[in-house]
Amino acid sequence: MAKLVADQIVDMLANAGVKRIYAVTGDSLNHINDAVRRDGRIQWIHVRHEETGAYAAGADAQLLGIGCCAGSSGPGHVHLINGLYDAHRSGAPVIALASTCETTEFGSNYFQETNTIKLFDDCSCFNQVAATPQQAPRMLQMALQHAIGKQGVAVVGIPGDVAASNAVDITMSTQLYHPRPVIRPAEAELQSLATLLKSAKKIAIYCGHGAMPAHDEIVQLSQLLKAPVSYSFRAKMGIQYDNPHEVGMTGLLGIASAYKSMHEADVLLLLGTDFPYAPFLPEKTKTVQIDIQPERLGRRTNLEMGLCGDIRDTLVALLPMLTPQQDADFLDAMLEFHKEVEKRLQTYVDDRGKEEAISPEFVASVINVLATSEAIFTVDTGMTNVWAARYLQGSAKRVLLGSFNHGSMANALPQAIGASLAHKGRQVIALCGDGGISMCLGDLMTIKQYHLPIKIIVFNNRSLGMVKLEMEVAGIPEWQTDMLNPDFAAVATAMGISSYTIKSPDDVQKTLTTALSSNEPALVSIYTNPNSLAMPPKIEFAQMKGYALWMGKMILGGRYEDVFDAIKSNYKHLKDVL
């Protein structure tokens, strides 16, 4: 049998390190599917929805360096869009194969025809259609190099007739290159930064995802400068551990100590972060931003200096230029305040809740203790994010995946599929909201089919919790946020997955211990308190006013019980507001 373009594509993907293609096969994708079967080096993962496949491929890419998903004809690759947006905004190198109708039908409004160039243009760094057998390998090579070099999604449109054509050898390279240049600011810029840091008495460091590879250098820098270290949610696992000067997160999910350290500093160092929430950044502090992507500099806050460089490369060059700061008063004060904030957070854990209204903070704290030191967590966007941000603790090997930049619902379960396949043998825990998991229940069968020992924890608060909170602080009566949920445990049981339901705080420890220690997939549905709130580290008067307005409107509307339940559930927050 002659080698087909489909075989050529699969061979190049396998040589580039692709281990899996997440897809639903069909029509224009069938030749590639068959080439995967014949080659044997790549596993075809039959997901129940292509969006799940795109999220799983994004997890593959973040954990292993490259991922791949595919969608057939128009409807199949349209389903990839949300997961590809998330991967692209997360800087995950993903190859998306968008199979299309035959080239002879282009532009004829053919059955299932889509314009892949227009469709994927906003969520990719490379996006082309191979119209001939000669183009296919060249475009795939360019797609692979773009995905790795630019850290994003690369889309290759593959018409069905091109995939079925005989392969044509090309003279261009088909090897994937992984250059690792040293990128740091110029010597004069580093000297200017060192001079600024030497003149400051109170310095704070804020780290984003781009700073994670420089953990040790950041700890050394904080010790030299006597500077407290805060971090973004995405950077939590890579910066928090073995860091004696960490003071937590800031932002919508953060805590007061990180916010305070940044606002009381003379100089703030932003390292490898594109932190989007300007109201949480100080306006009067001298701010220095260092990022490997110079187009990000200064777009969130006014800067004293904006420098381009890889964080680790930059700090390796900067550290010898610095002298130890002798005055530790600022650092000591921030660390002491951080201890006080952690005590307050513990009060939410100690109040375990009641029947069918278990405190989600208590649940998250138990999961943190029971999970292994090498656990991979995936977390849904929404209130589940809050509990994970505040109660999961980092370690040298723990990993946290989420939709941190795209902010999509229903990402945790699909990302857990990718994580479990990428790291067989490691514990994978998906922290799902009831709204999120409701969107992707079908892919519980993917977990079952491939025998993935994922632990799915559903924070079942019977509402769209984050949306409900947004309405409350805006003074809007909550409307259409309540959810009539199925019995998630019964659904999982019907699919052959071990499942548990927890309605009492007394059952949390024992049931989670049983579920997490299993070598099989398991789902645990926990009835958490729908009225549990998450106060941000900065309480605006407008938020307090809005919350009071919400209560007034609810009372006038006759919903007394809802207001009283919210007050009883959140009395602990009074000390954060007053």
Side-chain angles (χ1 to χ4, degrees), residues 349-369:
V349 174
D350 296 338
D351 184 353
R352 304 187 308 161
K354 59 183 181 180
E355 189 80 11
E356 297 194 8
I358 302 169
S359 295
E361 300 95 333
F362 168 59
V363 173
S365 69
V366 172
I367 293 170
N368 176 63
V369 172

mmCIF file with all atom_site columns, all heavy atoms in Angstrom, residues 349-369:
data_model
loop_
_atom_site.group_PDB
_atom_site.id
_atom_site.type_symbol
_atom_site.label_atom_id
_atom_site.label_alt_id
_atom_site.label_comp_id
_atom_site.label_asym_id
_atom_site.label_entity_id
_atom_site.label_seq_id
_atom_site.pdbx_PDB_ins_code
_atom_site.Cartn_x
_atom_site.Cartn_y
_atom_site.Cartn_z
_atom_site.occupancy
_atom_site.B_iso_or_equiv
_atom_site.pdbx_formal_charge
_atom_site.auth_seq_id
_atom_site.auth_comp_id
_atom_site.auth_asym_id
_atom_site.auth_atom_id
_atom_site.pdbx_PDB_model_num
ATOM 1   N N   . VAL A 1 349 ? -12.853 26.915 57.929 1.00 0.00 ? 349 VAL A N   1
ATOM 2   C CA  . VAL A 1 349 ? -12.666 25.461 57.955 1.00 0.00 ? 349 VAL A CA  1
ATOM 3   C C   . VAL A 1 349 ? -13.267 24.874 59.229 1.00 0.00 ? 349 VAL A C   1
ATOM 4   O O   . VAL A 1 349 ? -13.929 23.832 59.199 1.00 0.00 ? 349 VAL A O   1
ATOM 5   C CB  . VAL A 1 349 ? -11.164 25.120 57.864 1.00 0.00 ? 349 VAL A CB  1
ATOM 6   C CG1 . VAL A 1 349 ? -10.942 23.616 58.033 1.00 0.00 ? 349 VAL A CG1 1
ATOM 7   C CG2 . VAL A 1 349 ? -10.596 25.589 56.529 1.00 0.00 ? 349 VAL A CG2 1
ATOM 8   N N   . ASP A 1 350 ? -13.047 25.548 60.343 1.00 0.00 ? 350 ASP A N   1
ATOM 9   C CA  . ASP A 1 350 ? -13.542 25.047 61.626 1.00 0.00 ? 350 ASP A CA  1
ATOM 10  C C   . ASP A 1 350 ? -15.063 24.986 61.673 1.00 0.00 ? 350 ASP A C   1
ATOM 11  O O   . ASP A 1 350 ? -15.647 24.122 62.331 1.00 0.00 ? 350 ASP A O   1
ATOM 12  C CB  . ASP A 1 350 ? -13.012 25.927 62.765 1.00 0.00 ? 350 ASP A CB  1
ATOM 13  C CG  . ASP A 1 350 ? -11.494 25.857 62.885 1.00 0.00 ? 350 ASP A CG  1
ATOM 14  O OD1 . ASP A 1 350 ? -10.909 24.861 62.408 1.00 0.00 ? 350 ASP A OD1 1
ATOM 15  O OD2 . ASP A 1 350 ? -10.901 26.803 63.444 1.00 0.00 ? 350 ASP A OD2 1
ATOM 16  N N   . ASP A 1 351 ? -15.712 25.948 61.004 1.00 0.00 ? 351 ASP A N   1
ATOM 17  C CA  . ASP A 1 351 ? -17.178 25.904 60.897 1.00 0.00 ? 351 ASP A CA  1
ATOM 18  C C   . ASP A 1 351 ? -17.513 24.983 59.726 1.00 0.00 ? 351 ASP A C   1
ATOM 19  O O   . ASP A 1 351 ? -17.578 25.408 58.585 1.00 0.00 ? 351 ASP A O   1
ATOM 20  C CB  . ASP A 1 351 ? -17.721 27.310 60.651 1.00 0.00 ? 351 ASP A CB  1
ATOM 21  C CG  . ASP A 1 351 ? -19.244 27.333 60.638 1.00 0.00 ? 351 ASP A CG  1
ATOM 22  O OD1 . ASP A 1 351 ? -19.858 26.258 60.685 1.00 0.00 ? 351 ASP A OD1 1
ATOM 23  O OD2 . ASP A 1 351 ? -19.817 28.439 60.558 1.00 0.00 ? 351 ASP A OD2 1
ATOM 24  N N   . ARG A 1 352 ? -17.734 23.714 60.003 1.00 0.00 ? 352 ARG A N   1
ATOM 25  C CA  . ARG A 1 352 ? -17.852 22.708 58.949 1.00 0.00 ? 352 ARG A CA  1
ATOM 26  C C   . ARG A 1 352 ? -19.179 22.754 58.207 1.00 0.00 ? 352 ARG A C   1
ATOM 27  O O   . ARG A 1 352 ? -19.348 22.099 57.197 1.00 0.00 ? 352 ARG A O   1
ATOM 28  C CB  . ARG A 1 352 ? -17.672 21.310 59.545 1.00 0.00 ? 352 ARG A CB  1
ATOM 29  C CG  . ARG A 1 352 ? -16.346 21.140 60.295 1.00 0.00 ? 352 ARG A CG  1
ATOM 30  C CD  . ARG A 1 352 ? -16.145 19.700 60.701 1.00 0.00 ? 352 ARG A CD  1
ATOM 31  N NE  . ARG A 1 352 ? -17.310 19.176 61.417 1.00 0.00 ? 352 ARG A NE  1
ATOM 32  C CZ  . ARG A 1 352 ? -17.583 17.885 61.587 1.00 0.00 ? 352 ARG A CZ  1
ATOM 33  N NH1 . ARG A 1 352 ? -16.759 16.976 61.084 1.00 0.00 ? 352 ARG A NH1 1
ATOM 34  N NH2 . ARG A 1 352 ? -18.642 17.497 62.267 1.00 0.00 ? 352 ARG A NH2 1
ATOM 35  N N   . GLY A 1 353 ? -20.126 23.557 58.699 1.00 0.00 ? 353 GLY A N   1
ATOM 36  C CA  . GLY A 1 353 ? -21.431 23.619 58.053 1.00 0.00 ? 353 GLY A CA  1
ATOM 37  C C   . GLY A 1 353 ? -22.413 22.651 58.679 1.00 0.00 ? 353 GLY A C   1
ATOM 38  O O   . GLY A 1 353 ? -22.219 22.142 59.783 1.00 0.00 ? 353 GLY A O   1
ATOM 39  N N   . LYS A 1 354 ? -23.461 22.347 57.950 1.00 0.00 ? 354 LYS A N   1
ATOM 40  C CA  . LYS A 1 354 ? -24.523 21.484 58.465 1.00 0.00 ? 354 LYS A CA  1
ATOM 41  C C   . LYS A 1 354 ? -25.047 20.578 57.352 1.00 0.00 ? 354 LYS A C   1
ATOM 42  O O   . LYS A 1 354 ? -24.522 20.584 56.233 1.00 0.00 ? 354 LYS A O   1
ATOM 43  C CB  . LYS A 1 354 ? -25.656 22.334 59.028 1.00 0.00 ? 354 LYS A CB  1
ATOM 44  C CG  . LYS A 1 354 ? -26.279 23.277 58.001 1.00 0.00 ? 354 LYS A CG  1
ATOM 45  C CD  . LYS A 1 354 ? -27.355 24.164 58.621 1.00 0.00 ? 354 LYS A CD  1
ATOM 46  C CE  . LYS A 1 354 ? -27.969 25.088 57.568 1.00 0.00 ? 354 LYS A CE  1
ATOM 47  N NZ  . LYS A 1 354 ? -29.022 25.955 58.149 1.00 0.00 ? 354 LYS A NZ  1
ATOM 48  N N   . GLU A 1 355 ? -26.070 19.813 57.656 1.00 0.00 ? 355 GLU A N   1
ATOM 49  C CA  . GLU A 1 355 ? -26.664 18.878 56.709 1.00 0.00 ? 355 GLU A CA  1
ATOM 50  C C   . GLU A 1 355 ? -27.071 19.606 55.419 1.00 0.00 ? 355 GLU A C   1
ATOM 51  O O   . GLU A 1 355 ? -27.781 20.606 55.440 1.00 0.00 ? 355 GLU A O   1
ATOM 52  C CB  . GLU A 1 355 ? -27.899 18.218 57.331 1.00 0.00 ? 355 GLU A CB  1
ATOM 53  C CG  . GLU A 1 355 ? -28.473 17.078 56.516 1.00 0.00 ? 355 GLU A CG  1
ATOM 54  C CD  . GLU A 1 355 ? -27.705 15.764 56.696 1.00 0.00 ? 355 GLU A CD  1
ATOM 55  O OE1 . GLU A 1 355 ? -26.853 15.698 57.608 1.00 0.00 ? 355 GLU A OE1 1
ATOM 56  O OE2 . GLU A 1 355 ? -27.964 14.827 55.949 1.00 0.00 ? 355 GLU A OE2 1
ATOM 57  N N   . GLU A 1 356 ? -26.563 19.097 54.279 1.00 0.00 ? 356 GLU A N   1
ATOM 58  C CA  . GLU A 1 356 ? -26.835 19.625 52.941 1.00 0.00 ? 356 GLU A CA  1
ATOM 59  C C   . GLU A 1 356 ? -26.386 21.076 52.764 1.00 0.00 ? 356 GLU A C   1
ATOM 60  O O   . GLU A 1 356 ? -26.797 21.760 51.831 1.00 0.00 ? 356 GLU A O   1
ATOM 61  C CB  . GLU A 1 356 ? -28.314 19.476 52.555 1.00 0.00 ? 356 GLU A CB  1
ATOM 62  C CG  . GLU A 1 356 ? -28.758 18.025 52.479 1.00 0.00 ? 356 GLU A CG  1
ATOM 63  C CD  . GLU A 1 356 ? -30.092 17.851 51.780 1.00 0.00 ? 356 GLU A CD  1
ATOM 64  O OE1 . GLU A 1 356 ? -30.616 18.830 51.214 1.00 0.00 ? 356 GLU A OE1 1
ATOM 65  O OE2 . GLU A 1 356 ? -30.618 16.726 51.784 1.00 0.00 ? 356 GLU A OE2 1
ATOM 66  N N   . ALA A 1 357 ? -25.550 21.538 53.668 1.00 0.00 ? 357 ALA A N   1
ATOM 67  C CA  . ALA A 1 357 ? -24.968 22.882 53.547 1.00 0.00 ? 357 ALA A CA  1
ATOM 68  C C   . ALA A 1 357 ? -23.558 22.850 54.145 1.00 0.00 ? 357 ALA A C   1
ATOM 69  O O   . ALA A 1 357 ? -23.205 23.621 55.030 1.00 0.00 ? 357 ALA A O   1
ATOM 70  C CB  . ALA A 1 357 ? -25.830 23.927 54.242 1.00 0.00 ? 357 ALA A CB  1
ATOM 71  N N   . ILE A 1 358 ? -22.741 21.941 53.651 1.00 0.00 ? 358 ILE A N   1
ATOM 72  C CA  . ILE A 1 358 ? -21.385 21.750 54.155 1.00 0.00 ? 358 ILE A CA  1
ATOM 73  C C   . ILE A 1 358 ? -20.510 22.917 53.696 1.00 0.00 ? 358 ILE A C   1
ATOM 74  O O   . ILE A 1 358 ? -20.608 23.376 52.550 1.00 0.00 ? 358 ILE A O   1
ATOM 75  C CB  . ILE A 1 358 ? -20.815 20.417 53.639 1.00 0.00 ? 358 ILE A CB  1
ATOM 76  C CG1 . ILE A 1 358 ? -21.716 19.256 54.071 1.00 0.00 ? 358 ILE A CG1 1
ATOM 77  C CG2 . ILE A 1 358 ? -19.399 20.198 54.141 1.00 0.00 ? 358 ILE A CG2 1
ATOM 78  C CD1 . ILE A 1 358 ? -21.385 17.938 53.397 1.00 0.00 ? 358 ILE A CD1 1
ATOM 79  N N   . SER A 1 359 ? -19.659 23.399 54.566 1.00 0.00 ? 359 SER A N   1
ATOM 80  C CA  . SER A 1 359 ? -18.775 24.512 54.210 1.00 0.00 ? 359 SER A CA  1
ATOM 81  C C   . SER A 1 359 ? -17.787 24.064 53.130 1.00 0.00 ? 359 SER A C   1
ATOM 82  O O   . SER A 1 359 ? -17.012 23.122 53.342 1.00 0.00 ? 359 SER A O   1
ATOM 83  C CB  . SER A 1 359 ? -17.999 24.998 55.433 1.00 0.00 ? 359 SER A CB  1
ATOM 84  O OG  . SER A 1 359 ? -18.883 25.548 56.393 1.00 0.00 ? 359 SER A OG  1
ATOM 85  N N   . PRO A 1 360 ? -17.771 24.721 51.973 1.00 0.00 ? 360 PRO A N   1
ATOM 86  C CA  . PRO A 1 360 ? -16.838 24.319 50.916 1.00 0.00 ? 360 PRO A CA  1
ATOM 87  C C   . PRO A 1 360 ? -15.383 24.522 51.321 1.00 0.00 ? 360 PRO A C   1
ATOM 88  O O   . PRO A 1 360 ? -14.494 23.799 50.853 1.00 0.00 ? 360 PRO A O   1
ATOM 89  C CB  . PRO A 1 360 ? -17.234 25.214 49.737 1.00 0.00 ? 360 PRO A CB  1
ATOM 90  C CG  . PRO A 1 360 ? -17.955 26.371 50.343 1.00 0.00 ? 360 PRO A CG  1
ATOM 91  C CD  . PRO A 1 360 ? -18.638 25.832 51.561 1.00 0.00 ? 360 PRO A CD  1
ATOM 92  N N   . GLU A 1 361 ? -15.141 25.500 52.223 1.00 0.00 ? 361 GLU A N   1
ATOM 93  C CA  . GLU A 1 361 ? -13.772 25.702 52.710 1.00 0.00 ? 361 GLU A CA  1
ATOM 94  C C   . GLU A 1 361 ? -13.290 24.470 53.468 1.00 0.00 ? 361 GLU A C   1
ATOM 95  O O   . GLU A 1 361 ? -12.125 24.055 53.337 1.00 0.00 ? 361 GLU A O   1
ATOM 96  C CB  . GLU A 1 361 ? -13.727 26.926 53.634 1.00 0.00 ? 361 GLU A CB  1
ATOM 97  C CG  . GLU A 1 361 ? -14.143 28.226 52.976 1.00 0.00 ? 361 GLU A CG  1
ATOM 98  C CD  . GLU A 1 361 ? -15.626 28.567 53.197 1.00 0.00 ? 361 GLU A CD  1
ATOM 99  O OE1 . GLU A 1 361 ? -16.435 27.629 53.381 1.00 0.00 ? 361 GLU A OE1 1
ATOM 100 O OE2 . GLU A 1 361 ? -15.961 29.762 53.180 1.00 0.00 ? 361 GLU A OE2 1
ATOM 101 N N   . PHE A 1 362 ? -14.169 23.878 54.269 1.00 0.00 ? 362 PHE A N   1
ATOM 102 C CA  . PHE A 1 362 ? -13.841 22.656 55.008 1.00 0.00 ? 362 PHE A CA  1
ATOM 103 C C   . PHE A 1 362 ? -13.532 21.523 54.042 1.00 0.00 ? 362 PHE A C   1
ATOM 104 O O   . PHE A 1 362 ? -12.554 20.783 54.216 1.00 0.00 ? 362 PHE A O   1
ATOM 105 C CB  . PHE A 1 362 ? -15.014 22.297 55.924 1.00 0.00 ? 362 PHE A CB  1
ATOM 106 C CG  . PHE A 1 362 ? -14.948 20.924 56.524 1.00 0.00 ? 362 PHE A CG  1
ATOM 107 C CD1 . PHE A 1 362 ? -13.882 20.542 57.318 1.00 0.00 ? 362 PHE A CD1 1
ATOM 108 C CD2 . PHE A 1 362 ? -15.975 20.004 56.288 1.00 0.00 ? 362 PHE A CD2 1
ATOM 109 C CE1 . PHE A 1 362 ? -13.829 19.265 57.872 1.00 0.00 ? 362 PHE A CE1 1
ATOM 110 C CE2 . PHE A 1 362 ? -15.921 18.733 56.829 1.00 0.00 ? 362 PHE A CE2 1
ATOM 111 C CZ  . PHE A 1 362 ? -14.843 18.366 57.628 1.00 0.00 ? 362 PHE A CZ  1
ATOM 112 N N   . VAL A 1 363 ? -14.334 21.383 53.002 1.00 0.00 ? 363 VAL A N   1
ATOM 113 C CA  . VAL A 1 363 ? -14.123 20.320 52.015 1.00 0.00 ? 363 VAL A CA  1
ATOM 114 C C   . VAL A 1 363 ? -12.761 20.476 51.341 1.00 0.00 ? 363 VAL A C   1
ATOM 115 O O   . VAL A 1 363 ? -11.988 19.524 51.225 1.00 0.00 ? 363 VAL A O   1
ATOM 116 C CB  . VAL A 1 363 ? -15.246 20.331 50.956 1.00 0.00 ? 363 VAL A CB  1
ATOM 117 C CG1 . VAL A 1 363 ? -14.934 19.338 49.835 1.00 0.00 ? 363 VAL A CG1 1
ATOM 118 C CG2 . VAL A 1 363 ? -16.586 20.013 51.588 1.00 0.00 ? 363 VAL A CG2 1
ATOM 119 N N   . ALA A 1 364 ? -12.458 21.700 50.899 1.00 0.00 ? 364 ALA A N   1
ATOM 120 C CA  . ALA A 1 364 ? -11.186 21.938 50.210 1.00 0.00 ? 364 ALA A CA  1
ATOM 121 C C   . ALA A 1 364 ? -9.994  21.654 51.117 1.00 0.00 ? 364 ALA A C   1
ATOM 122 O O   . ALA A 1 364 ? -8.973  21.111 50.676 1.00 0.00 ? 364 ALA A O   1
ATOM 123 C CB  . ALA A 1 364 ? -11.134 23.373 49.700 1.00 0.00 ? 364 ALA A CB  1
ATOM 124 N N   . SER A 1 365 ? -10.113 22.000 52.392 1.00 0.00 ? 365 SER A N   1
ATOM 125 C CA  . SER A 1 365 ? -9.005  21.764 53.323 1.00 0.00 ? 365 SER A CA  1
ATOM 126 C C   . SER A 1 365 ? -8.765  20.273 53.536 1.00 0.00 ? 365 SER A C   1
ATOM 127 O O   . SER A 1 365 ? -7.620  19.832 53.667 1.00 0.00 ? 365 SER A O   1
ATOM 128 C CB  . SER A 1 365 ? -9.274  22.458 54.657 1.00 0.00 ? 365 SER A CB  1
ATOM 129 O OG  . SER A 1 365 ? -10.339 21.836 55.361 1.00 0.00 ? 365 SER A OG  1
ATOM 130 N N   . VAL A 1 366 ? -9.846  19.492 53.574 1.00 0.00 ? 366 VAL A N   1
ATOM 131 C CA  . VAL A 1 366 ? -9.704  18.034 53.723 1.00 0.00 ? 366 VAL A CA  1
ATOM 132 C C   . VAL A 1 366 ? -9.042  17.444 52.486 1.00 0.00 ? 366 VAL A C   1
ATOM 133 O O   . VAL A 1 366 ? -8.148  16.591 52.583 1.00 0.00 ? 366 VAL A O   1
ATOM 134 C CB  . VAL A 1 366 ? -11.081 17.383 53.979 1.00 0.00 ? 366 VAL A CB  1
ATOM 135 C CG1 . VAL A 1 366 ? -10.956 15.855 53.947 1.00 0.00 ? 366 VAL A CG1 1
ATOM 136 C CG2 . VAL A 1 366 ? -11.645 17.836 55.316 1.00 0.00 ? 366 VAL A CG2 1
ATOM 137 N N   . ILE A 1 367 ? -9.467  17.894 51.313 1.00 0.00 ? 367 ILE A N   1
ATOM 138 C CA  . ILE A 1 367 ? -8.850  17.411 50.072 1.00 0.00 ? 367 ILE A CA  1
ATOM 139 C C   . ILE A 1 367 ? -7.367  17.736 50.050 1.00 0.00 ? 367 ILE A C   1
ATOM 140 O O   . ILE A 1 367 ? -6.538  16.906 49.661 1.00 0.00 ? 367 ILE A O   1
ATOM 141 C CB  . ILE A 1 367 ? -9.560  18.034 48.851 1.00 0.00 ? 367 ILE A CB  1
ATOM 142 C CG1 . ILE A 1 367 ? -10.991 17.511 48.742 1.00 0.00 ? 367 ILE A CG1 1
ATOM 143 C CG2 . ILE A 1 367 ? -8.796  17.732 47.560 1.00 0.00 ? 367 ILE A CG2 1
ATOM 144 C CD1 . ILE A 1 367 ? -11.840 18.241 47.733 1.00 0.00 ? 367 ILE A CD1 1
ATOM 145 N N   . ASN A 1 368 ? -7.008  18.922 50.490 1.00 0.00 ? 368 ASN A N   1
ATOM 146 C CA  . ASN A 1 368 ? -5.600  19.321 50.520 1.00 0.00 ? 368 ASN A CA  1
ATOM 147 C C   . ASN A 1 368 ? -4.769  18.369 51.369 1.00 0.00 ? 368 ASN A C   1
ATOM 148 O O   . ASN A 1 368 ? -3.653  18.002 50.994 1.00 0.00 ? 368 ASN A O   1
ATOM 149 C CB  . ASN A 1 368 ? -5.485  20.742 51.064 1.00 0.00 ? 368 ASN A CB  1
ATOM 150 C CG  . ASN A 1 368 ? -4.048  21.189 51.210 1.00 0.00 ? 368 ASN A CG  1
ATOM 151 O OD1 . ASN A 1 368 ? -3.315  21.280 50.240 1.00 0.00 ? 368 ASN A OD1 1
ATOM 152 N ND2 . ASN A 1 368 ? -3.621  21.458 52.445 1.00 0.00 ? 368 ASN A ND2 1
ATOM 153 N N   . VAL A 1 369 ? -5.304  17.963 52.507 1.00 0.00 ? 369 VAL A N   1
ATOM 154 C CA  . VAL A 1 369 ? -4.567  17.061 53.410 1.00 0.00 ? 369 VAL A CA  1
ATOM 155 C C   . VAL A 1 369 ? -4.490  15.648 52.839 1.00 0.00 ? 369 VAL A C   1
ATOM 156 O O   . VAL A 1 369 ? -3.446  14.989 52.912 1.00 0.00 ? 369 VAL A O   1
ATOM 157 C CB  . VAL A 1 369 ? -5.232  17.043 54.804 1.00 0.00 ? 369 VAL A CB  1
ATOM 158 C CG1 . VAL A 1 369 ? -4.611  15.968 55.681 1.00 0.00 ? 369 VAL A CG1 1
ATOM 159 C CG2 . VAL A 1 369 ? -5.114  18.409 55.464 1.00 0.00 ? 369 VAL A CG2 1
#
